[in-house]
Amino acid sequence: MKMSKAEKFDEFLSSNNINCFSKEEIDNEMHSIVYRAHMEVSSQNLPTMIVLDDSIYTMIQVRVAAGVVNAGNREGVLMHINELNKKYKVFKYYEGDNGDICLDSCITTTDEGFEAPVIHTVIDVILKHLVEEYPVLMRKVWGN
């Protein structure tokens, strides 16, 4: 029996006693399933989601900071995240709606080739990066 990416991810979470994710099935043509959690970084809880669907893409998104980019800091923040984007291959930063700073990782995989440990590893890489980078990025945001 062919297992979907979500079934494989659910099995991985269960077998590794990972229970920090809430799961939401989205009623759309791609049969999207969204897993939501938070990454704790510098005493902040950063909303994190994983989107699994029928496409060849698995998306991981972290909202690093909500509503912090404005006319006064936009140039410095965008220059900084552009420099970060040059360094890191597995994820990219961008300014989202309403001045949010977001970090996305897009991993290509089919149902057959989906490996939940890879998703877990990418999340670990993102978390380790944010633990180091978040204070630096926030100094750019606040102009220090």
Side-chain angles (χ1 to χ4, degrees):
M1 181 181 116
K2 177 180 153 185
M3 288 180 69
S4 70
K5 291 187 271 187
E7 289 169 326
K8 289 179 180 180
F9 194 64
D10 288 342
E11 188 176 89
F12 173 82
L13 294 175
S14 177
S15 65
N16 288 281
N17 294 318
I18 299 171
N19 54 18
C20 60
F21 289 98
S22 66
K23 179 181 172 183
E24 177 185 2
E25 294 186 29
I26 308 297
D27 185 21
N28 62 18
E29 68 273 1
M30 297 302 292
H31 306 105
S32 301
I33 299 180
V34 179
Y35 295 82
R36 298 179 195 277
H38 291 86
M39 288 188 182
E40 187 174 330
V41 177
S42 296
S43 300
Q44 301 295 312
N45 287 320
L46 309 184
T48 303
M49 72 176 178
I50 301 167
V51 181
L52 304 176
D53 59 27
D54 292 342
S55 74
I56 63 167
Y57 305 107
T58 295
M59 290 294 305
I60 301 170
Q61 183 180 80
V62 180
R63 188 169 15 148
V64 178
V68 297
V69 181
N70 56 52
N73 68 11
R74 179 169 283 113
E75 184 178 352
V77 169
L78 295 182
M79 285 176 55
H80 183 69
I81 65 175
N82 193 45
E83 288 303 312
L84 292 172
N85 286 342
K86 291 177 185 178
K87 292 180 187 176
Y88 298 99
K89 294 177 184 174
V90 74
F91 55 81
K92 298 297 176 197
Y93 284 93
Y94 63 94
E95 177 188 354
D97 297 336
N98 303 316
D100 295 350
I101 297 174
C102 300
L103 181 153
D104 277 4
S105 180
C106 181
I107 300 156
T108 56
T109 183
T110 61
D111 282 348
E112 296 80 17
F114 181 79
E115 295 184 37
V118 171
I119 304 306
H120 189 259
T121 298
V122 171
I123 290 170
D124 280 349
V125 167
I126 291 170
L127 180 58
K128 287 175 185 159
H129 163 76
L130 285 171
V131 166
E132 293 175 12
E133 182 57 36
Y134 185 84
V136 176
L137 182 56
M138 289 300 102
R139 284 195 295 274
K140 298 289 182 188
V141 166
W142 306 123
N144 301 340

